[in-house]
Amino acid sequence: MLASLMVEFAGKVDLIYIDPPFATGSDFSVTTKLGDTETDVKKQQSAIEEKAYRDTWGSGLDSYLPMLQARLELARDLLSDRGSIYLHIGPNINHLVRTLTDEVFGQASFQREIVWQRVTARSHGNYYPATNDCILFYTRTKYPIWNQQYTPVRQELIESHYTHVEDGTGRRYTLDNCLNQNKDRPNLRYEFNGHVRTWRWKKEKMEQYQREGRIVITSTGMPRYKRYLDEAKGVPLQSVWTDIRPVNSQAAEDTGYDTQKPEPLLQRIVETSSNGESLVVDFFCGSGTTLAVSEKLNRRWIGCDLGRFAIHTTRKR
């Protein structure tokens, strides 16, 4: 299925997200509607699904990793020069999949390992109970689509940093550093208020901020930048995601699909690494979350899956 996309879409895909299965067993229970009631039904695999499972995962990692490698090689060739791929994988085989993906895409293409805390705590399990999944983030080139995402400013940060209140307006603010950490910027080194330093902005910009009342001179004569709380976009998104809960049985988006991922998780990825009208591909589409989110965000999308119930669930969605 994936190879058939190469003719028309090679080099045209901006984002690929995959959540490949591993050692899930050949059967699983799903919840589906029979008449007016919801019933647990044992899914029976078709002959082609049974054969694919036996051939692809029957020998454990010896068959799983070659299967994944073949698909990653096709994925690499589908990606555009600004394309990214996110591999959602369990922590038990994360190290093996990362080594494999390094080989296919090149180590320089690896950007980050994202840790998604999918449950807050577990009271059972040996040693340290597993509460997270891993998402491996690779890019086709050094210049991918990147739309910075933010998380809200935490209340404790507001109370500890935004301690000043502006007279007249009542706006809360913090005083930020005006110095540039990169000292090798001769165009930013000049004298300001009696101090010669390498500043964050050019002199014209510093003077503009001073006229606008955004520069506060401290008792030592050093300038500080007035950063307002109501202008803060938030905290740039980090690589540990603890703010997205898994889909529960009461959620409106729940489809009854065993490995369904929450829409906010995919929304974050799609918004970060694609633009309007970008083409998004998921070739282990499962319950169709990637496709549903891409549709809502006005992206074009293609979904593939070998599982009959996955296609049924995705079409309904």
Side-chain angles (χ1 to χ4, degrees), residues 96-125:
L96 298 173
V97 172
R98 178 170 171 179
T99 300
L100 174 64
T101 312
D102 279 351
E103 181 179 336
V104 173
F105 282 84
Q107 289 184 341
S109 293
F110 173 74
Q111 302 302 334
R112 200 69 64 220
E113 176 181 323
I114 299 164
V115 175
W116 174 42
Q117 183 180 334
R118 53 187 173 81
V119 291
T120 54
R122 283 181 171 172
S123 58
H124 62 279

Side-chain angles (χ1 to χ4, degrees), residues 75-183:
R76 176 196 60 205
D77 296 337
L78 283 170
L79 284 179
S80 69
D81 287 342
R82 302 197 66 200
S84 302
I85 181 170
Y86 290 75
L87 290 84
H88 194 136
I89 206 76
N92 57 321
I93 57 167
N94 166 40
H95 58 300
L96 298 173
V97 172
R98 178 170 171 179
T99 300
L100 174 64
T101 312
D102 279 351
E103 181 179 336
V104 173
F105 282 84
Q107 289 184 341
S109 293
F110 173 74
Q111 302 302 334
R112 200 69 64 220
E113 176 181 323
I114 299 164
V115 175
W116 174 42
Q117 183 180 334
R118 53 187 173 81
V119 291
T120 54
R122 283 181 171 172
S123 58
H124 62 279
N126 296 328
Y127 310 114
Y128 305 104
T131 57
N132 73 281
D133 284 353
C134 304
I135 304 174
L136 304 178
F137 169 40
Y138 287 78
T139 59
R140 189 72 175 89
T141 67
K142 294 180 180 179
Y143 306 102
I145 294 172
W146 181 257
N147 303 309
Q148 180 66 61
Q149 303 296 304
Y150 299 88
T151 54
V153 180
R154 301 187 308 275
Q155 186 60 37
E156 56 265 32
L157 184 64
I158 295 174
E159 294 174 357
S160 63
H161 286 70
Y162 290 88
T163 55
H164 304 280
V165 178
E166 189 174 66
D167 292 338
T169 66
R171 299 173 73 186
R172 296 186 68 147
Y173 65 91
T174 185
L175 293 178
D176 202 356
N177 195 356
C178 291
L179 298 177
N180 197 313
Q181 301 304 313
N182 184 358
K183 306 298 184 184

Side-chain angles (χ1 to χ4, degrees), residues 1 17 21 28 42 50 83 99 105 107 121 132 218 258 262 288 303:
M1 290 184 292
Y17 167 89
F28 58 91
K42 195 73 171 179
E50 289 178 353
T99 300
F105 282 84
Q107 289 184 341
N132 73 281
T218 66
D258 188 48

